C-alpha cells in the first residue's frame, strides 16, 4: 500500500453550524455526537485502517495549523498542507496533488472531506480499495456515487451512464441540488446517485486534467516545481495561492472532463453539512422525535422534531411549545431558528457581526 495516499480537505469555516462552529474552531474540529472524536479525527482514523498513516495528508487553512497538531500530535509537519487563503476545492486538490507527486510520482490518491458520516465502514473501505485498483489500470477520474435512500434536496446528484465493470459506471452528468419534486424523480430513477464529493485517482491523471481544464492554476504551480516538498514550499504557496481561481473541483474540472467514472456505494453515507443533516443522522427521542446533541439537563414539553444542543451541561434548559426548531447554545451565543430556514444562518451571522462585533463569530 506504499503508493496509496489520502487527502482530507479540512479548511472550511462551517458557518451553517454556528454557534457551535466558529472561525476560531470550525466544525471539523468538534465532537458533535459526544463520542469523544471530532469529525476530522474520525475521518483520519477511518482511512488509517487501509492507508499508511504517513501517507495521510490534511489540507487546511493556516489559521488551523495548531488545531490540527493539537488533535494529531503524531503528524509530521509536511503532512499538514496549509492554505494561506480559502480558494475552494480545485486549488486545494491541485496543491495536494502537486505536493504528493513530488513525494511519490506513482501515487494513487483518495480525496475526502473531513465531515462525512459512514455507518458501514468495512464496506466503505473495501470500496476504496476497489477504487484504488481501478485507477491503477484506468486513466480515470473516479468519484463515488451514493445510492439514494430518500429525495434529498441538500445533495448534488450524479447521473450514471453505461456500466463498464462491477459497480463502475461512466458519469453522464452532474446535477446541482434539486427542489423536492425533482429530487423525488431522481430517487425513483436508478440512474441517479448522490454526489459524495469523494474522489479517487492517480496523481498523474488528476494533474493532467488540471493542466487541461484549469490551466491558470496549473501554470501557477508549475512555476515552483523545484520548491515542492522542500523547506521553501510554504513560502511558494503563500506567493501564488491568492492568485488561484476560486472554484470547486466539480465546476472547474469534473463536469468538463471526458474520463469521469463513478463507483456506486451503499454504505450509510451522509454529508454532515447542515443542522438538518445532523438531525437526520442523530439519535432521536422516541415520542417527540427530538435530536438532543449536548446538555445533560434538558426538559421538553409539547416540543417535537427539534434539534437541541446546549454546550453547558451544568445548565438546566427547559423548552416548551416548539416544533421543528434548531435550539443550540455555545459559549456566548444562543440560536433559535426554524429548521426549514437554516439556510439563512450565514445572514444571521453577518447581522450579529454588524450589530455586536466579531466576538460572537
Amino acid at each position: 500500500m506504499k503508493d496509496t495516499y489520502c487527502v482530507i480537505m479540512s479548511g472550511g469555516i462551517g458557518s451553517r453550524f454556528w454557534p457551535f462552529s466558529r472561525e476560531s474552531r470550525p466544525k471539523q474540529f468538534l465532537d458533535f455526537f459526544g463520542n469523544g472524536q471530532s469529525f476530522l479525527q474520525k475521518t483520519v482514523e477511518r482511512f488509517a485502517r487501509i492507508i499508511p498513516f504517513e501517507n495521510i495528508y490534511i489540507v487546511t487553512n493556516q489559521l488551523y495549523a495548531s488545531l490540527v497538531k493539537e488533535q494529531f500530535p503524531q503528524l509530521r509537519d509536511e503532512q499538514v498542507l496549509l492554505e494561506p487563503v480559502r480558494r475552494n476545492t480545485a486549488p486545494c486538490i491541485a496543491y495536494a496533488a502537486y505536493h504528493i507527486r513530488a513525494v511519490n510520482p506513482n501515487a494513487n490518491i483518495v480525496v475526502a472531506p473531513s465531515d462525512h458520516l459512514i455507518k458501514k465502514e468495512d464496506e466503505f473501505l473495501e470500496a476504496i480499495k476497489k477504487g484504488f485498483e481501478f485507477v491503477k489500470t484506468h486513466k480515470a477520474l473516479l468519484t463515488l456515487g451514493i445510492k439514494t435512500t430518500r429525495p434529498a434536496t441538500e445533495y448534488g446528484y450524479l447521473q450514471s451512464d453505461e456500466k463498464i465493470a462491477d459497480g463502475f459506471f461512466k458519469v453522464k452528468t452532474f446535477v446541482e441540488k434539486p427542489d423536492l419534486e425533482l429530487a423525488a424523480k431522481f430517487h425513483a430513477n436508478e440512474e441517479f446517485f448522490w454526489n459524495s464529493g469523494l474522489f479517487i485517482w492517480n496523481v498523474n491523471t488528476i494533474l493532467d486534467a488540471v493542466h487541461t481544464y484549469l490551466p491558470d492554476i496549473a501554470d501557477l504551480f508549475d512555476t515552483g516545481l523545484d520548491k515542492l516538498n522542500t523547506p521553501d514550499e510554504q513560502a511558494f504557496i503563500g506567493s501564488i495561492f491568492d492568485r488561484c481561481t476560486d472554484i470547486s473541483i466539480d465546476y472547474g474540472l469534473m463536469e468538463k472532463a471526458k474520463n469521469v467514472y463513478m463507483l456506486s456505494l451503499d454504505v450509510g453515507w451522509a454529508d454532515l453539512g447542515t443542522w438538518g443533516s445532523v438531525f437526520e443522522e442523530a439519535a432521536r427521542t422516541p415520542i417527540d422525535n427530538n435530536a438532543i446533541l449536548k446538555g445533560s439537563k434538558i426538559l421538553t414539553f409539547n416540543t417535537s422534531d427539534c434539534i437541541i444542543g446546549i454546550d453547558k451541561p451544568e445548565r438546566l434548559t427547559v423548552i416548551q411549545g416548539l416544533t421543528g426548531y434548531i435550539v443550540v447554545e455555545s459559549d456566548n451565543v444562543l440560536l433559535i431558528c426554524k429548521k426549514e430556514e437554516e439556510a439563512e444562518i450565514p445572514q444571521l451571522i453577518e447581522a450579529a457581526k454588524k450589530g455586536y462585533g466579531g466576538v460572537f463569530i
Side-chain angles (χ1 to χ4, degrees):
M1 301 293 283
K2 67 181 179 65
D3 290 335
T4 58
Y5 287 75
C6 176
V7 172
I8 300 172
M9 299 180 289
S10 187
I13 298 175
S15 60
R16 287 184 180 272
F17 284 107
W18 183 74
F20 273 17
S21 181
R22 306 290 185 99
E23 287 186 0
S24 60
R25 198 173 187 91
K27 67 170 181 175
Q28 59 267 32
F29 301 104
L30 304 179
D31 173 13
F32 269 66
F33 295 106
N35 59 17
Q37 287 184 305
S38 69
F39 285 145
L40 179 58
Q41 286 172 317
K42 183 61 179 174
T43 302
V44 170
E45 178 191 74
R46 179 183 303 131
F47 284 107
R49 291 176 57 189
I50 62 167
I51 294 172
F53 186 81
E54 63 270 19
N55 290 359
I56 295 176
Y57 288 79
I58 296 172
V59 188
T60 191
N61 189 278
Q62 62 186 13
L63 295 173
Y64 308 133
S66 61
L67 290 177
V68 172
K69 295 308 291 283
E70 173 188 309
Q71 296 197 350
F72 301 98
Q74 69 273 44
L75 277 174
R76 306 186 323 274
D77 288 345
E78 53 266 36
Q79 288 175 263
V80 184
L81 305 183
L82 299 178
E83 300 173 308
V85 293
R86 293 182 179 88
R87 281 295 182 268
N88 216 316
T89 54
C92 167
I93 288 170
Y95 175 21
Y98 270 98
H99 177 93
I100 290 172
R101 189 178 64 176
V103 176
N104 182 347
N106 300 311
N108 299 300
I109 306 168
V110 57
V111 178
S114 59
D115 57 354
H116 285 185
L117 176 70
I118 307 290
K119 293 180 180 178
K120 304 174 187 176
E121 287 205 352
D122 290 344
E123 293 177 30
F124 173 76
L125 294 174
E126 286 303 313
I128 296 298
K129 290 191 284 187
K130 185 177 177 180
F132 276 135
E133 291 301 315
F134 184 79
V135 302
K136 284 181 186 178
T137 56
H138 297 77
K139 191 176 174 63
L141 301 170
L142 182 65
T143 185
L144 305 188
I146 307 298
K147 182 176 175 58
T148 68
T149 59
R150 57 187 173 86
T153 60
E154 67 270 30
Y155 299 146
Y157 287 73
L158 303 168
Q159 184 180 13
S160 61
D161 206 338
E162 73 269 18
K163 186 175 183 178
I164 62 163
D166 182 29
F168 293 94
F169 300 83
K170 279 282 287 182
V171 172
K172 184 183 294 184
T173 55
F174 286 74
V175 184
E176 291 305 304
K177 298 174 184 177
D179 59 25
L180 186 58
E181 181 180 358
L182 191 55
K185 292 179 180 178
F186 290 164
H187 178 50
N189 187 331
E190 293 184 353
E191 290 185 358
F192 285 87
F193 297 78
W194 287 332
N195 181 0
S196 70
L198 288 148
F199 308 101
I200 305 175
W201 40 50
N202 179 270
V203 68
N204 298 300
T205 303
I206 184 59
L207 288 181
D208 285 348
V210 171
H211 279 88
T212 300
Y213 301 105
L214 296 165
D216 54 334
I217 291 177
D219 288 346
L220 288 169
F221 280 96
D222 286 344
T223 63
L225 295 180
D226 59 327
K227 297 179 175 62
L228 298 172
N229 196 34
T230 76
D232 297 325
E233 176 173 298
Q234 199 56 54
F236 167 64
I237 294 302
S239 71
I240 68 163
F241 216 79
D242 63 349
R243 290 183 278 155
C244 288
T245 304
D246 187 337
I247 192 169
S248 73
I249 197 71
D250 280 349
Y251 276 133
L253 191 154
M254 298 295 284
E255 293 182 11
K256 301 172 183 176
K258 308 302 182 186
N259 57 333
V260 176
Y261 296 83
M262 183 195 79
L263 173 59
S264 62
L265 302 182
D266 183 7
V267 293
W269 169 92
D271 177 1
L272 300 177
T274 64
W275 283 117
S277 63
V278 171
F279 178 81
E280 289 290 334
E281 302 302 331
R284 301 204 284 274
T285 56
I287 296 176
D288 298 320
N289 199 43
N290 293 314
I292 299 176
L293 299 182
K294 292 187 177 183
S296 57
K297 299 181 179 68
I298 294 175
L299 295 175
T300 61
F301 301 91
N302 192 27
T303 291
S304 61
D305 299 316
C306 291
I307 182 166
I308 303 167
I310 308 298
D311 204 9
K312 292 181 174 64
E314 75 283 358
R315 172 172 293 174
L316 173 63
T317 302
V318 183
I319 302 172
Q320 194 277 336
L322 294 183
T323 299
Y325 272 78
I326 301 163
V327 182
V328 288
E329 181 184 36
S330 181
D331 194 15
N332 56 359
V333 176
L334 167 65
L335 172 70
I336 303 172
C337 172
K338 289 183 179 179
K339 281 196 304 179
E340 63 189 29
E341 296 178 5
E342 73 161 301
E344 297 182 15
I345 288 178
Q347 286 74 43
L348 302 180
I349 294 173
E350 288 305 310
K353 186 183 296 185
K354 182 180 293 186
Y356 295 99
V359 67
F360 296 100
I361 311 305

PDB file of all heavy atoms in Angstrom, residues 166-191:
ATOM      1  N   ASP A 166     -17.957  -4.140 -12.564  1.00  0.00           N
ATOM      2  CA  ASP A 166     -18.811  -4.348 -11.408  1.00  0.00           C
ATOM      3  C   ASP A 166     -18.832  -3.114 -10.502  1.00  0.00           C
ATOM      4  O   ASP A 166     -17.836  -2.808  -9.845  1.00  0.00           O
ATOM      5  CB  ASP A 166     -18.329  -5.564 -10.618  1.00  0.00           C
ATOM      6  CG  ASP A 166     -19.207  -5.859  -9.418  1.00  0.00           C
ATOM      7  OD1 ASP A 166     -20.411  -5.542  -9.473  1.00  0.00           O
ATOM      8  OD2 ASP A 166     -18.680  -6.382  -8.421  1.00  0.00           O
ATOM      9  N   GLY A 167     -19.943  -2.413 -10.510  1.00  0.00           N
ATOM     10  CA  GLY A 167     -20.088  -1.225  -9.670  1.00  0.00           C
ATOM     11  C   GLY A 167     -19.571   0.052 -10.288  1.00  0.00           C
ATOM     12  O   GLY A 167     -19.778   1.132  -9.728  1.00  0.00           O
ATOM     13  N   PHE A 168     -18.887  -0.022 -11.423  1.00  0.00           N
ATOM     14  CA  PHE A 168     -18.289   1.141 -12.067  1.00  0.00           C
ATOM     15  C   PHE A 168     -19.115   1.569 -13.289  1.00  0.00           C
ATOM     16  O   PHE A 168     -19.504   0.733 -14.103  1.00  0.00           O
ATOM     17  CB  PHE A 168     -16.855   0.857 -12.505  1.00  0.00           C
ATOM     18  CG  PHE A 168     -15.901   0.636 -11.369  1.00  0.00           C
ATOM     19  CD1 PHE A 168     -15.630  -0.637 -10.904  1.00  0.00           C
ATOM     20  CD2 PHE A 168     -15.264   1.714 -10.764  1.00  0.00           C
ATOM     21  CE1 PHE A 168     -14.745  -0.846  -9.855  1.00  0.00           C
ATOM     22  CE2 PHE A 168     -14.376   1.522  -9.714  1.00  0.00           C
ATOM     23  CZ  PHE A 168     -14.116   0.241  -9.257  1.00  0.00           C
ATOM     24  N   PHE A 169     -19.340   2.876 -13.388  1.00  0.00           N
ATOM     25  CA  PHE A 169     -20.119   3.431 -14.484  1.00  0.00           C
ATOM     26  C   PHE A 169     -19.416   4.675 -15.030  1.00  0.00           C
ATOM     27  O   PHE A 169     -18.704   5.369 -14.295  1.00  0.00           O
ATOM     28  CB  PHE A 169     -21.513   3.872 -14.005  1.00  0.00           C
ATOM     29  CG  PHE A 169     -22.349   2.781 -13.420  1.00  0.00           C
ATOM     30  CD1 PHE A 169     -22.189   2.396 -12.088  1.00  0.00           C
ATOM     31  CD2 PHE A 169     -23.319   2.145 -14.181  1.00  0.00           C
ATOM     32  CE1 PHE A 169     -22.971   1.396 -11.544  1.00  0.00           C
ATOM     33  CE2 PHE A 169     -24.109   1.150 -13.636  1.00  0.00           C
ATOM     34  CZ  PHE A 169     -23.934   0.763 -12.308  1.00  0.00           C
ATOM     35  N   LYS A 170     -19.619   4.946 -16.302  1.00  0.00           N
ATOM     36  CA  LYS A 170     -19.297   6.275 -16.805  1.00  0.00           C
ATOM     37  C   LYS A 170     -20.291   7.255 -16.201  1.00  0.00           C
ATOM     38  O   LYS A 170     -21.441   6.920 -15.932  1.00  0.00           O
ATOM     39  CB  LYS A 170     -19.414   6.318 -18.327  1.00  0.00           C
ATOM     40  CG  LYS A 170     -18.225   5.777 -19.068  1.00  0.00           C
ATOM     41  CD  LYS A 170     -17.054   6.749 -19.123  1.00  0.00           C
ATOM     42  CE  LYS A 170     -17.330   7.899 -20.070  1.00  0.00           C
ATOM     43  NZ  LYS A 170     -16.186   8.832 -20.177  1.00  0.00           N
ATOM     44  N   VAL A 171     -19.861   8.493 -15.978  1.00  0.00           N
ATOM     45  CA  VAL A 171     -20.761   9.529 -15.477  1.00  0.00           C
ATOM     46  C   VAL A 171     -21.286  10.329 -16.666  1.00  0.00           C
ATOM     47  O   VAL A 171     -20.512  10.827 -17.488  1.00  0.00           O
ATOM     48  CB  VAL A 171     -20.048  10.461 -14.476  1.00  0.00           C
ATOM     49  CG1 VAL A 171     -20.937  11.657 -14.122  1.00  0.00           C
ATOM     50  CG2 VAL A 171     -19.687   9.686 -13.207  1.00  0.00           C
ATOM     51  N   LYS A 172     -22.610  10.427 -16.751  1.00  0.00           N
ATOM     52  CA  LYS A 172     -23.239  11.165 -17.847  1.00  0.00           C
ATOM     53  C   LYS A 172     -23.318  12.647 -17.524  1.00  0.00           C
ATOM     54  O   LYS A 172     -22.916  13.491 -18.324  1.00  0.00           O
ATOM     55  CB  LYS A 172     -24.639  10.625 -18.113  1.00  0.00           C
ATOM     56  CG  LYS A 172     -25.355  11.260 -19.301  1.00  0.00           C
ATOM     57  CD  LYS A 172     -26.788  10.729 -19.465  1.00  0.00           C
ATOM     58  CE  LYS A 172     -26.786   9.262 -19.819  1.00  0.00           C
ATOM     59  NZ  LYS A 172     -28.169   8.760 -20.070  1.00  0.00           N
ATOM     60  N   THR A 173     -23.826  12.980 -16.344  1.00  0.00           N
ATOM     61  CA  THR A 173     -23.983  14.394 -15.974  1.00  0.00           C
ATOM     62  C   THR A 173     -23.856  14.577 -14.468  1.00  0.00           C
ATOM     63  O   THR A 173     -24.107  13.658 -13.683  1.00  0.00           O
ATOM     64  CB  THR A 173     -25.367  14.956 -16.391  1.00  0.00           C
ATOM     65  OG1 THR A 173     -26.401  14.129 -15.832  1.00  0.00           O
ATOM     66  CG2 THR A 173     -25.517  15.016 -17.890  1.00  0.00           C
ATOM     67  N   PHE A 174     -23.478  15.785 -14.086  1.00  0.00           N
ATOM     68  CA  PHE A 174     -23.550  16.255 -12.707  1.00  0.00           C
ATOM     69  C   PHE A 174     -24.791  17.150 -12.596  1.00  0.00           C
ATOM     70  O   PHE A 174     -25.040  17.963 -13.487  1.00  0.00           O
ATOM     71  CB  PHE A 174     -22.311  17.077 -12.337  1.00  0.00           C
ATOM     72  CG  PHE A 174     -21.076  16.259 -12.142  1.00  0.00           C
ATOM     73  CD1 PHE A 174     -20.396  15.711 -13.227  1.00  0.00           C
ATOM     74  CD2 PHE A 174     -20.564  16.040 -10.868  1.00  0.00           C
ATOM     75  CE1 PHE A 174     -19.247  14.957 -13.056  1.00  0.00           C
ATOM     76  CE2 PHE A 174     -19.414  15.297 -10.683  1.00  0.00           C
ATOM     77  CZ  PHE A 174     -18.750  14.754 -11.779  1.00  0.00           C
ATOM     78  N   VAL A 175     -25.531  16.999 -11.525  1.00  0.00           N
ATOM     79  CA  VAL A 175     -26.751  17.778 -11.346  1.00  0.00           C
ATOM     80  C   VAL A 175     -26.672  18.532 -10.020  1.00  0.00           C
ATOM     81  O   VAL A 175     -26.330  17.939  -8.980  1.00  0.00           O
ATOM     82  CB  VAL A 175     -28.007  16.887 -11.362  1.00  0.00           C
ATOM     83  CG1 VAL A 175     -29.271  17.745 -11.279  1.00  0.00           C
ATOM     84  CG2 VAL A 175     -28.029  16.016 -12.610  1.00  0.00           C
ATOM     85  N   GLU A 176     -26.974  19.819 -10.047  1.00  0.00           N
ATOM     86  CA  GLU A 176     -26.950  20.622  -8.827  1.00  0.00           C
ATOM     87  C   GLU A 176     -28.072  20.210  -7.872  1.00  0.00           C
ATOM     88  O   GLU A 176     -28.961  19.429  -8.222  1.00  0.00           O
ATOM     89  CB  GLU A 176     -27.075  22.107  -9.186  1.00  0.00           C
ATOM     90  CG  GLU A 176     -25.855  22.662  -9.887  1.00  0.00           C
ATOM     91  CD  GLU A 176     -24.584  22.449  -9.094  1.00  0.00           C
ATOM     92  OE1 GLU A 176     -24.523  22.878  -7.931  1.00  0.00           O
ATOM     93  OE2 GLU A 176     -23.648  21.833  -9.629  1.00  0.00           O
ATOM     94  N   LYS A 177     -28.037  20.739  -6.672  1.00  0.00           N
ATOM     95  CA  LYS A 177     -29.060  20.416  -5.675  1.00  0.00           C
ATOM     96  C   LYS A 177     -30.453  20.736  -6.232  1.00  0.00           C
ATOM     97  O   LYS A 177     -30.714  21.868  -6.635  1.00  0.00           O
ATOM     98  CB  LYS A 177     -28.814  21.214  -4.395  1.00  0.00           C
ATOM     99  CG  LYS A 177     -27.476  20.882  -3.732  1.00  0.00           C
ATOM    100  CD  LYS A 177     -27.194  21.797  -2.562  1.00  0.00           C
ATOM    101  CE  LYS A 177     -25.814  21.505  -1.972  1.00  0.00           C
ATOM    102  NZ  LYS A 177     -25.473  22.435  -0.873  1.00  0.00           N
ATOM    103  N   PRO A 178     -31.353  19.752  -6.270  1.00  0.00           N
ATOM    104  CA  PRO A 178     -32.665  19.953  -6.882  1.00  0.00           C
ATOM    105  C   PRO A 178     -33.712  20.406  -5.869  1.00  0.00           C
ATOM    106  O   PRO A 178     -33.489  20.373  -4.655  1.00  0.00           O
ATOM    107  CB  PRO A 178     -32.997  18.556  -7.391  1.00  0.00           C
ATOM    108  CG  PRO A 178     -32.388  17.662  -6.340  1.00  0.00           C
ATOM    109  CD  PRO A 178     -31.129  18.368  -5.863  1.00  0.00           C
ATOM    110  N   ASP A 179     -34.884  20.810  -6.382  1.00  0.00           N
ATOM    111  CA  ASP A 179     -36.015  21.023  -5.498  1.00  0.00           C
ATOM    112  C   ASP A 179     -36.605  19.658  -5.149  1.00  0.00           C
ATOM    113  O   ASP A 179     -36.196  18.614  -5.686  1.00  0.00           O
ATOM    114  CB  ASP A 179     -37.056  21.953  -6.124  1.00  0.00           C
ATOM    115  CG  ASP A 179     -37.621  21.432  -7.437  1.00  0.00           C
ATOM    116  OD1 ASP A 179     -37.602  20.199  -7.667  1.00  0.00           O
ATOM    117  OD2 ASP A 179     -38.082  22.252  -8.253  1.00  0.00           O
ATOM    118  N   LEU A 180     -37.592  19.643  -4.250  1.00  0.00           N
ATOM    119  CA  LEU A 180     -38.102  18.368  -3.735  1.00  0.00           C
ATOM    120  C   LEU A 180     -38.751  17.530  -4.835  1.00  0.00           C
ATOM    121  O   LEU A 180     -38.585  16.302  -4.873  1.00  0.00           O
ATOM    122  CB  LEU A 180     -39.097  18.626  -2.604  1.00  0.00           C
ATOM    123  CG  LEU A 180     -39.612  17.382  -1.868  1.00  0.00           C
ATOM    124  CD1 LEU A 180     -38.451  16.601  -1.273  1.00  0.00           C
ATOM    125  CD2 LEU A 180     -40.603  17.783  -0.781  1.00  0.00           C
ATOM    126  N   GLU A 181     -39.462  18.176  -5.745  1.00  0.00           N
ATOM    127  CA  GLU A 181     -40.133  17.432  -6.819  1.00  0.00           C
ATOM    128  C   GLU A 181     -39.119  16.723  -7.706  1.00  0.00           C
ATOM    129  O   GLU A 181     -39.278  15.543  -8.048  1.00  0.00           O
ATOM    130  CB  GLU A 181     -40.995  18.388  -7.653  1.00  0.00           C
ATOM    131  CG  GLU A 181     -41.746  17.694  -8.777  1.00  0.00           C
ATOM    132  CD  GLU A 181     -42.589  18.653  -9.605  1.00  0.00           C
ATOM    133  OE1 GLU A 181     -42.623  19.866  -9.278  1.00  0.00           O
ATOM    134  OE2 GLU A 181     -43.221  18.189 -10.577  1.00  0.00           O
ATOM    135  N   LEU A 182     -38.062  17.431  -8.065  1.00  0.00           N
ATOM    136  CA  LEU A 182     -37.032  16.821  -8.913  1.00  0.00           C
ATOM    137  C   LEU A 182     -36.239  15.774  -8.139  1.00  0.00           C
ATOM    138  O   LEU A 182     -35.883  14.719  -8.684  1.00  0.00           O
ATOM    139  CB  LEU A 182     -36.107  17.905  -9.464  1.00  0.00           C
ATOM    140  CG  LEU A 182     -35.125  17.490 -10.563  1.00  0.00           C
ATOM    141  CD1 LEU A 182     -35.864  16.854 -11.730  1.00  0.00           C
ATOM    142  CD2 LEU A 182     -34.311  18.685 -11.028  1.00  0.00           C
ATOM    143  N   ALA A 183     -35.981  16.029  -6.859  1.00  0.00           N
ATOM    144  CA  ALA A 183     -35.264  15.054  -6.032  1.00  0.00           C
ATOM    145  C   ALA A 183     -36.045  13.747  -5.949  1.00  0.00           C
ATOM    146  O   ALA A 183     -35.454  12.655  -5.955  1.00  0.00           O
ATOM    147  CB  ALA A 183     -35.022  15.619  -4.641  1.00  0.00           C
ATOM    148  N   ALA A 184     -37.367  13.836  -5.871  1.00  0.00           N
ATOM    149  CA  ALA A 184     -38.195  12.629  -5.843  1.00  0.00           C
ATOM    150  C   ALA A 184     -38.066  11.841  -7.147  1.00  0.00           C
ATOM    151  O   ALA A 184     -38.028  10.599  -7.138  1.00  0.00           O
ATOM    152  CB  ALA A 184     -39.647  13.009  -5.589  1.00  0.00           C
ATOM    153  N   LYS A 185     -37.988  12.531  -8.273  1.00  0.00           N
ATOM    154  CA  LYS A 185     -37.804  11.860  -9.562  1.00  0.00           C
ATOM    155  C   LYS A 185     -36.436  11.189  -9.633  1.00  0.00           C
ATOM    156  O   LYS A 185     -36.310  10.067 -10.140  1.00  0.00           O
ATOM    157  CB  LYS A 185     -37.967  12.861 -10.701  1.00  0.00           C
ATOM    158  CG  LYS A 185     -39.389  13.399 -10.863  1.00  0.00           C
ATOM    159  CD  LYS A 185     -39.484  14.405 -12.009  1.00  0.00           C
ATOM    160  CE  LYS A 185     -40.906  14.934 -12.149  1.00  0.00           C
ATOM    161  NZ  LYS A 185     -41.007  15.942 -13.234  1.00  0.00           N
ATOM    162  N   PHE A 186     -35.403  11.871  -9.117  1.00  0.00           N
ATOM    163  CA  PHE A 186     -34.072  11.281  -9.102  1.00  0.00           C
ATOM    164  C   PHE A 186     -34.054  10.012  -8.237  1.00  0.00           C
ATOM    165  O   PHE A 186     -33.446   9.004  -8.602  1.00  0.00           O
ATOM    166  CB  PHE A 186     -33.048  12.276  -8.571  1.00  0.00           C
ATOM    167  CG  PHE A 186     -32.758  13.433  -9.496  1.00  0.00           C
ATOM    168  CD1 PHE A 186     -32.122  14.572  -9.017  1.00  0.00           C
ATOM    169  CD2 PHE A 186     -33.107  13.397 -10.830  1.00  0.00           C
ATOM    170  CE1 PHE A 186     -31.844  15.638  -9.858  1.00  0.00           C
ATOM    171  CE2 PHE A 186     -32.836  14.460 -11.681  1.00  0.00           C
ATOM    172  CZ  PHE A 186     -32.203  15.585 -11.194  1.00  0.00           C
ATOM    173  N   HIS A 187     -34.705  10.092  -7.074  1.00  0.00           N
ATOM    174  CA  HIS A 187     -34.720   8.959  -6.151  1.00  0.00           C
ATOM    175  C   HIS A 187     -35.393   7.742  -6.786  1.00  0.00           C
ATOM    176  O   HIS A 187     -35.019   6.594  -6.513  1.00  0.00           O
ATOM    177  CB  HIS A 187     -35.432   9.366  -4.856  1.00  0.00           C
ATOM    178  CG  HIS A 187     -35.548   8.270  -3.854  1.00  0.00           C
ATOM    179  ND1 HIS A 187     -34.475   7.501  -3.452  1.00  0.00           N
ATOM    180  CD2 HIS A 187     -36.625   7.787  -3.162  1.00  0.00           C
ATOM    181  CE1 HIS A 187     -34.874   6.614  -2.558  1.00  0.00           C
ATOM    182  NE2 HIS A 187     -36.169   6.756  -2.381  1.00  0.00           N
ATOM    183  N   ALA A 188     -36.380   7.987  -7.641  1.00  0.00           N
ATOM    184  CA  ALA A 188     -37.110   6.897  -8.292  1.00  0.00           C
ATOM    185  C   ALA A 188     -36.389   6.348  -9.522  1.00  0.00           C
ATOM    186  O   ALA A 188     -36.784   5.308 -10.057  1.00  0.00           O
ATOM    187  CB  ALA A 188     -38.513   7.378  -8.687  1.00  0.00           C
ATOM    188  N   ASN A 189     -35.338   7.024  -9.959  1.00  0.00           N
ATOM    189  CA  ASN A 189     -34.618   6.650 -11.175  1.00  0.00           C
ATOM    190  C   ASN A 189     -33.274   6.033 -10.798  1.00  0.00           C
ATOM    191  O   ASN A 189     -32.435   6.686 -10.172  1.00  0.00           O
ATOM    192  CB  ASN A 189     -34.412   7.896 -12.053  1.00  0.00           C
ATOM    193  CG  ASN A 189     -33.824   7.574 -13.407  1.00  0.00           C
ATOM    194  OD1 ASN A 189     -33.092   6.602 -13.571  1.00  0.00           O
ATOM    195  ND2 ASN A 189     -34.139   8.403 -14.398  1.00  0.00           N
ATOM    196  N   GLU A 190     -33.054   4.790 -11.177  1.00  0.00           N
ATOM    197  CA  GLU A 190     -31.848   4.077 -10.759  1.00  0.00           C
ATOM    198  C   GLU A 190     -30.572   4.621 -11.379  1.00  0.00           C
ATOM    199  O   GLU A 190     -29.473   4.227 -10.989  1.00  0.00           O
ATOM    200  CB  GLU A 190     -31.991   2.592 -11.076  1.00  0.00           C
ATOM    201  CG  GLU A 190     -33.053   1.898 -10.244  1.00  0.00           C
ATOM    202  CD  GLU A 190     -33.099   0.404 -10.507  1.00  0.00           C
ATOM    203  OE1 GLU A 190     -32.395  -0.057 -11.443  1.00  0.00           O
ATOM    204  OE2 GLU A 190     -33.832  -0.290  -9.775  1.00  0.00           O
ATOM    205  N   GLU A 191     -30.701   5.534 -12.345  1.00  0.00           N
ATOM    206  CA  GLU A 191     -29.505   6.131 -12.944  1.00  0.00           C
ATOM    207  C   GLU A 191     -28.871   7.185 -12.059  1.00  0.00           C
ATOM    208  O   GLU A 191     -27.723   7.568 -12.273  1.00  0.00           O
ATOM    209  CB  GLU A 191     -29.843   6.777 -14.296  1.00  0.00           C
ATOM    210  CG  GLU A 191     -30.175   5.805 -15.402  1.00  0.00           C
ATOM    211  CD  GLU A 191     -30.375   6.513 -16.721  1.00  0.00           C
ATOM    212  OE1 GLU A 191     -30.287   7.764 -16.762  1.00  0.00           O
ATOM    213  OE2 GLU A 191     -30.620   5.821 -17.727  1.00  0.00           O
TER     214      GLU A 191
END
